[in-house]
Amino acid sequence: MTRAMTLTTCARRGALASALLALSGAAMAFQPTVVNTNITEADVRAIQEGWGKALIQISDDFASGGLTKAKATAGAVLDGAYGYNMGVVLFKPTLTHGEQTFRTTRAGALAYFVGDDKAFPNDSGFALKGWKKYEFKNAGVFINGDLALTQGNVILTDKNGKVTVVDKTWGFKKDDKGQMRIVLHHSSLPYQPGK
């Protein structure tokens, strides 16, 4: 082998080594993002707390800025917390009946929270009732991977100090970005025998 051939071979090997190093660095830069879809009890408590704060915020926004402000906040809450972007949400609000008992669409949920929708004429806006305080008492929490179910009470206090206890069943699922979403929300007033 001549000296020129040896230098050319070394140069090729050096270029190949540089290219391999560059590719390995590029491969390291493009490592896939790992999304943990396992739900923890802390995740459940956080989304329940977030829901309670959002309900109070919608009430406060209604008091300070009227229906337009409350509706914007409620829409943001639905988009940020509920799973309508994932498909159907199984939502049975507390004060609904007849053909409009179940609210599987975003529009139906928004109407329940803030009213003002001719398609849902019986809705006066559950979130507009001046709520000031909330508390959750879970009777049970079931978690299996990316799905969590809870059942218990939500205790709501309005601006006049009146307390309303609501029975709640929630279903939470993490979306493909790892964000908790409400996919099941069932509310009812506690059964009162003899009434």
Side-chain angles (χ1 to χ4, degrees), residues 4 20 28 30 37 39 47 52 58 64 75 87 92 140 163 169 176 188:
L20 288 173
M28 291 172 85
F30 292 107
T37 58
I39 295 174
I47 196 166
I58 296 166
S64 68
K92 190 285 177 193
V163 174
T169 301
D176 59 356
S188 58

Side-chain angles (χ1 to χ4, degrees), residues 35-51:
V35 176
N36 179 3
T37 58
N38 289 325
I39 295 174
T40 66
E41 193 171 352
D43 291 332
V44 170
R45 282 193 306 271
I47 196 166
Q48 287 178 314
E49 286 294 318
W51 185 90

